[in-house]
Structures are given as C-alpha cells and as structure tokens.
Amino acid sequence: MNLNDLQNISDHFSNTPTMPVLFLGHGSPMNAIEENQFVQGFRKAASEIPKPNAILCISAHWFTKGTKVTAMTMPRTIHDFGGFPQALFDVQYPAPGAPELAKETAELLKPALVEEDHNWGLDHGAWSVIKHMYPEADIPVIQMSIDYSKPPQYHFDLAKRLNNLREKGILIIGSGNIVHNLRLVDWRNINTVGAGWDWAVEAREKTNNWLLDGNFKNIIDYHKQGISLQYAVPTPDHYLPLLYTLGLKTSSDDLSLFNDELIGGSLSMTSVRIG
C-alpha cells in the first residue's frame, strides 16, 4: 500500500486502537429471528470490542468469479434462502453502505482487480449475524465477495492487504461455518447442541487445535488433512471466510474461540476472535 492509499483512508476514518477481527459461524438463517446461545454469543462479542466506524464482511453467500465489493449507499437486505417462515423474509436490516470504504478496499487489494458492485447488497451471511451485534443498523456495512476461481492460499494472502483498515476502526468479519455439510444434516437433532457425527467431532477437534496452536498451514491445506475434513468441507464457500480472518492475524494478536458447538450432526457454530 502506498502513501496515497493511507491518506485516503485517513480522510474518511480517524485512527483508532487496532480493531479485532471475527469469524462468525452463522448457521441457519433462523438464527436471525431466534433467541439462543449463539445469537447471545454474537451480542457478547460486539459488547467486548470498540464500536466500529464501519464493517467489512466476507460472507460465504457471495461467491463470484473475481472479487467484488458493494459500493452502494443503501444496500438492500437479500433473502437468499427458501422454505423458511414469512417472519424471516420480513426482516430488513437497513444499514447504510460505505462507498468510500469500498473504493479504498479496492485500492488496498491491488494488484488484484476488484469490481465495485452496485447490485448485490447484504446477504443473510452478513445481516443475520450483524443484526444481533448492532441492532440499530447505524454502522455502515460493505461486503466483499469470495473469488471461487482462486485456491485457499490466495484468500489467506489477499486478506493481509486489508490489515491497515483495522487501524481505522473497521471491523472485518468472515461469516461462514467451519464444519458445513448440509447433505449429512441429522434433521431429527437439528436443534440439539452438541450433536455431531464422528467425522464432524474429529474435524472440529482438529481445526480447533490448529487454530489455538497457530497452525494455519493445515487449515489452509484442509483438503490434505484426511477424510473428516473432506466431509466437513465438501465445498469451500463456507470455509473460506475463515481464511480471511486468519490472514489478518498479526504476531501480537491473541486468538480465542466462542460459540464452539456442533449442531445437527454436520454443522459447527465455532466462531473465532482475533485481537
């Protein structure tokens, strides 16, 4: 990043203490309107950090060719799911956008090409968790998409270019799930906390150990880590937001876990705080 980029950020956001970074296991869209231990965990996480100037969210549900950032002034609330009660479709999260942050994010990520997008909005990977953290919708939110054509290491490395945003009060959130296999969900126990197939228990234990030990190489190379990780990550969309969070960790940052539970046999709500 050059001096002009730093000046652009300084023009819009004042210096702040270094903001933490979060990975949130977002789980079912129903978490948006239910009261449970996981949404309580989201609220607690927000209460323990400074109120951000803006939020940059990398959601599992915006998977694109190339990287995009939302750049509209008022992003729409996207209900990107089906088969749920009308009450969920009625939810609106009218947080403003931040076109200036979108532009500066694109600058920071150079030489990667980043498209400023005016069509997407906030998908449920973003609003279903952020609404619990900041229910007044008074903090600007932008989303950054995940380029599905790139390997895991690319996403981990790309995130590092965003680290200066942490000094400007920007809360960066990755939203997905580490263990996420919808085809193997045990629907009889979908609301049973702690219910996990043997492979899911093993995958959770492995990734938790790697996270706490700082062994990010194994997390990046998850496809080489045995059958339990293959079951846990059948597709990369919900897993890759974790790599954006981990890529932002510096040597001075602590790492801790919260909401660390399995549900429905094949889903984990494990969330990560860095800093």
Side-chain angles (χ1 to χ4, degrees), residues 192-271:
T192 303
V193 174
W197 302 119
D198 288 348
W199 59 263
V201 171
E202 180 180 328
R204 173 181 163 274
E205 289 178 353
K206 282 185 174 182
T207 51
N208 282 3
N209 288 336
W210 295 331
L211 286 166
L212 295 172
D213 291 344
N215 186 353
F216 295 169
K217 184 62 176 171
N218 279 358
I219 294 174
I220 294 166
D221 294 335
Y222 67 91
H223 54 287
K224 300 178 181 178
Q225 307 307 326
I227 192 70
S228 67
L229 266 294
Q230 292 174 30
Y231 277 118
V233 192
T235 59
D237 47 310
H238 276 70
Y239 188 85
L240 291 177
L242 173 67
L243 301 189
Y244 280 88
T245 299
L246 299 183
L248 287 158
K249 185 180 184 300
T250 68
S251 59
S252 60
D253 285 324
D254 293 328
L255 183 151
S256 59
L257 307 180
F258 62 101
N259 283 359
D260 183 27
E261 298 283 0
L262 290 166
I263 57 171
S266 62
L267 302 171
S268 70
M269 295 296 292
T270 303
S271 299

Side-chain angles (χ1 to χ4, degrees), residues 62 64-69 109 112-116 144-147 150 154-155 158 244:
W62 199 20
T64 61
K65 179 64 183 294
T67 302
K68 302 181 181 184
V69 290
L109 293 175
L113 277 177
V114 178
E115 177 186 341
E116 293 181 36
M144 188 170 89
S145 74
I146 300 170
D147 184 349
K150 301 297 186 182
Y154 173 89
H155 300 286
L158 187 66
Y244 280 88

Side-chain angles (χ1 to χ4, degrees), residues 27-30 82-84 180-192 195 197 263-267:
S28 166
M30 287 298 291
F84 291 96
H180 185 267
N181 192 323
L182 294 183
R183 288 195 287 183
L184 296 179
V185 168
D186 178 5
W187 294 106
R188 294 169 302 176
N189 292 302
I190 187 58
N191 293 316
T192 303
W197 302 119
I263 57 171
S266 62
L267 302 171

Side-chain angles (χ1 to χ4, degrees), residues 3-148:
L3 290 176
N4 286 336
D5 295 330
L6 279 171
Q7 184 60 48
N8 287 339
I9 296 171
S10 298
D11 287 345
H12 294 292
F13 303 107
S14 59
N15 285 317
T16 65
T18 303
M19 286 294 290
V21 186
L22 300 175
F23 171 78
L24 301 179
H26 66 241
S28 166
M30 287 298 291
N31 285 322
I33 59 173
E34 292 180 341
E35 181 63 30
N36 56 46
Q37 70 185 74
F38 304 119
V39 302
Q40 292 167 10
F42 301 149
R43 288 196 291 264
K44 184 173 186 289
S47 73
E48 294 173 343
I49 64 178
K51 186 173 182 178
N53 290 325
I55 296 169
L56 168 59
C57 183
I58 299 97
S59 165
H61 294 277
W62 199 20
F63 217 46
T64 61
K65 179 64 183 294
T67 302
K68 302 181 181 184
V69 290
T70 55
M72 66 286 288
T73 56
M74 284 300 300
R76 63 193 175 101
T77 303
I78 303 173
H79 300 90
D80 49 333
F81 41 70
F84 291 96
Q86 184 60 41
L88 186 57
F89 291 90
D90 291 341
V91 175
Q92 295 292 315
Y93 189 70
E100 69 282 354
L101 177 58
K103 187 176 296 295
E104 289 156 11
T105 298
E107 287 293 319
L108 289 173
L109 293 175
K110 287 181 177 178
L113 277 177
V114 178
E115 177 186 341
E116 293 181 36
D117 178 270
H118 295 271
N119 298 313
W120 188 247
L122 302 179
D123 60 52
H124 82 269
W127 63 259
S128 71
V129 291
I130 296 173
K131 75 178 290 289
H132 293 295
M133 302 173 72
Y134 304 105
E136 299 302 316
D138 56 347
I139 297 173
V141 182
I142 70 169
Q143 279 196 227
M144 188 170 89
S145 74
I146 300 170
D147 184 349
Y148 61 71

